[in-house]
Amino acid sequence: MVSFSRRSQIMLASSAALFLASCGADDVASPGAGAIDVVINPPAPTPTPTGTPTPTALTAAQFALATTVGSASGSVITVDEQLALVNKGTNNNVNGFGATLNGVYPTSGTSLATASNPQTVLGNTSFIQNTSFVGAMSGPNDNAFSGWTCNSTAATFLNSASCAAVPSIGSGGSAATCPTGTTDAGLVQGFRACRLPTTITTDLTLPKIAGVFYRFSGETKVGTDNGVTGGTGVTLTIQPGVTLVADGSDSAVDVLIVNRGNKINAVGTADAPIIFTSQQNLKSDGVSDVTQGQWGGIILLGRATTAVCATGFTNPCQQQIEGVSGYYYGGSNDADSSGTMQYVQIRFTGFEVTPGNELQGLTLGGTGTGTTIDHVQSHNSSDDGIEIFGGTTNLKYFVVTGADDDGFDVDNGWRGFMQFIIAAQKVSGATADSFATEIDSNGAEDLTPRTFGRYANFTFVQQAGTNPAPSAIRLRGGADFAFVNGIVKSPTTCVNIVASEGTGDNRTTIRAADQAKQDAGPPTFNSVYFQCQGR
């Protein structure tokens, strides 16, 4: 390319010669022989498009984890067998990689895998919705989880406040009056504390009153339990926007228990969720992003069937719920109702009573299909986000953020469906056996009802940095499961399928369907996008 200065000199010389010639100056000296060096830089060649790089395929050992239970080495499901089970399904991608998620949101509105019709695959058209995308959300602007959730480093949602922020209780606590059925417990951080009775024996409604929160202390019970044939029929009703607070002023474990035959009716709205939290959360900077284990959580008990029975409680089967003593679940009514929880946050829960005996954000024990659970978030539980012991309750729009152990833990013969669920694990500090979902039957693999679950439109973000880090999905105990339209992201392996009984083709978790054993056959995966090994 000719430089600008050189082009200017040539143009000026030419103009001057023309000017002199026009004036008759024919004898102007010629510049003489010579040449002007003109340097031309050729344009850089256009690079050849390379397209999207193809990732190296994961090995079976990178994708799945094989586990030996006790000395039953013959029951091991190999990593090759686990990968083959996934590949047997349709529209699965086991080699996902790259910046596909922004937290729990897909970075694009284009589905990460071709979606399947979950109604067709799972066979439940009354509860399961048909969708055209994988994961719990359709894209970066999906607002299905907006407002009623809270934000943390585990996951953020559109138009939601921080989980550590003081709930919107309102002003005017000093002049507020506690409603009938509660007791005035004075002012806390300028808010009026209205204490719930230890045992709620008649229907009680907690209205939204500016400046008022409701406090519970120790084992707070809704109704009493008259066994599998009845209950006292008490309902605790909580209005939108209400905040309920665990006392935390003494060593007692604060937990809200809804006994069999009684109900909770906690129905918030997207703009005014109901918040269960700790008293520390009433103070600015009273909690942080790592706060957990400040109270015991919520327990709903019902009279639906369960597989594991306590001694002397086999007709019908009943079992004592984990975490507290003397409270039972189970019965024979799979349509039983323990009430409704919608648009609810449960913050900073979890408590280890003894090793292996813990309380979590929400515990369901033998609750039936009449129990409605949707639009609920369990945040920063020091144990599981939710654990389900038996029963038949379905879940929809359920979020677990920052759990120290599992996101969704199901066992003891739970038989149900979940759709639009998210498990976003805490970045650090999770236990060595924390999974986005842990599915089993406590090792009693041929008890009935057999654990039978169906997940549709799920997003599991596993972030535990323990060594070795657990898989995102752990399926064991002979449980029957189907996974449809999901996203699984893990820093290590994605799947851990385990059997502890049987050998060869008779290994419990992957053996062929057997109606006599209520066995639906091996787990199935359809339209699941796996992004393993931190890729």
Side-chain angles (χ1 to χ4, degrees), residues 185-281:
L187 294 176
V188 178
Q189 300 297 326
F191 304 124
R192 177 69 60 189
C194 299
R195 183 182 293 275
L196 302 184
T198 301
T199 301
I200 301 171
T201 57
T202 59
D203 290 352
L204 176 62
T205 296
L206 306 181
K208 172 67 175 177
I209 301 173
V212 166
F213 71 88
Y214 297 94
R215 175 192 278 173
F216 56 96
S217 181
E219 295 180 1
T220 300
K221 303 169 283 293
V222 178
T224 56
D225 183 0
N226 292 340
V228 297
T229 59
T232 47
V234 173
T235 299
L236 172 63
T237 299
I238 305 170
Q239 293 186 347
V242 164
T243 298
L244 295 94
V245 172
D247 191 338
S249 63
D250 54 34
S251 59
V253 180
D254 303 321
V255 58
L256 180 64
I257 304 168
V258 178
N259 273 308
R260 289 186 294 189
N262 304 279
K263 296 180 181 180
I264 186 171
N265 185 34
V267 180
T269 66
D271 297 325
I274 294 166
I275 298 177
F276 292 85
T277 189
S278 63
Q279 187 157 301
Q280 293 91 325
N281 197 191

Side-chain angles (χ1 to χ4, degrees), residues 75-354:
S75 297
V76 173
I77 303 173
T78 68
V79 294
D80 292 298
E81 289 175 312
Q82 294 180 57
L83 180 57
L85 274 174
V86 174
N87 283 331
K88 189 176 181 180
T90 59
N91 302 326
N92 295 315
N93 182 349
V94 298
N95 291 303
F97 77 108
T100 55
L101 291 180
N102 181 10
V104 293
Y105 281 85
T107 56
S108 169
T110 302
S111 182
L112 288 174
T114 301
S116 298
N117 183 338
Q119 292 179 338
T120 301
V121 175
L122 303 181
N124 185 336
T125 57
S126 61
F127 179 79
I128 295 293
Q129 299 177 25
N130 185 23
T131 54
S132 59
F133 57 91
V134 303
M137 290 178 285
S138 61
N141 299 314
D142 190 327
N143 63 0
F145 294 86
S146 300
W148 59 271
T149 50
C150 63
N151 292 332
S152 66
T153 55
T156 59
F157 301 93
L158 301 175
N159 305 314
S160 295
S162 168
C163 295
V166 176
S168 299
I169 298 172
S171 59
S174 59
T177 301
C178 291
T180 301
T182 66
T183 304
D184 192 334
L187 294 176
V188 178
Q189 300 297 326
F191 304 124
R192 177 69 60 189
C194 299
R195 183 182 293 275
L196 302 184
T198 301
T199 301
I200 301 171
T201 57
T202 59
D203 290 352
L204 176 62
T205 296
L206 306 181
K208 172 67 175 177
I209 301 173
V212 166
F213 71 88
Y214 297 94
R215 175 192 278 173
F216 56 96
S217 181
E219 295 180 1
T220 300
K221 303 169 283 293
V222 178
T224 56
D225 183 0
N226 292 340
V228 297
T229 59
T232 47
V234 173
T235 299
L236 172 63
T237 299
I238 305 170
Q239 293 186 347
V242 164
T243 298
L244 295 94
V245 172
D247 191 338
S249 63
D250 54 34
S251 59
V253 180
D254 303 321
V255 58
L256 180 64
I257 304 168
V258 178
N259 273 308
R260 289 186 294 189
N262 304 279
K263 296 180 181 180
I264 186 171
N265 185 34
V267 180
T269 66
D271 297 325
I274 294 166
I275 298 177
F276 292 85
T277 189
S278 63
Q279 187 157 301
Q280 293 91 325
N281 197 191
L282 297 183
K283 178 183 178 182
S284 180
D285 299 324
V287 295
S288 71
D289 197 47
V290 298
T291 299
Q292 59 180 186
Q294 295 187 328
W295 60 290
I298 301 171
I299 299 175
L300 306 187
L301 303 174
R303 297 172 293 191
T305 51
T306 183
V308 182
C309 316
T311 302
F313 290 86
T314 57
N315 189 23
C317 180
Q318 302 170 66
Q319 178 64 290
Q320 181 171 288
I321 195 64
E322 183 177 280
V324 290
S325 299
Y327 299 91
Y328 285 82
Y329 67 92
S332 56
N333 181 11
D334 280 343
D336 189 45
S337 173
S338 297
T340 301
M341 295 184 70
Q342 294 176 308
Y343 296 103
V344 171
Q345 294 177 23
I346 307 170
R347 303 180 181 180
F348 311 119
T349 61
F351 196 88
E352 184 180 68
V353 180
T354 57

Side-chain angles (χ1 to χ4, degrees), residues 53-59 62 94-97 535:
T54 301
T56 303
L58 292 179
T59 65
Q62 291 173 315
V94 298
N95 291 303
F97 77 108
R535 303 209 304 174

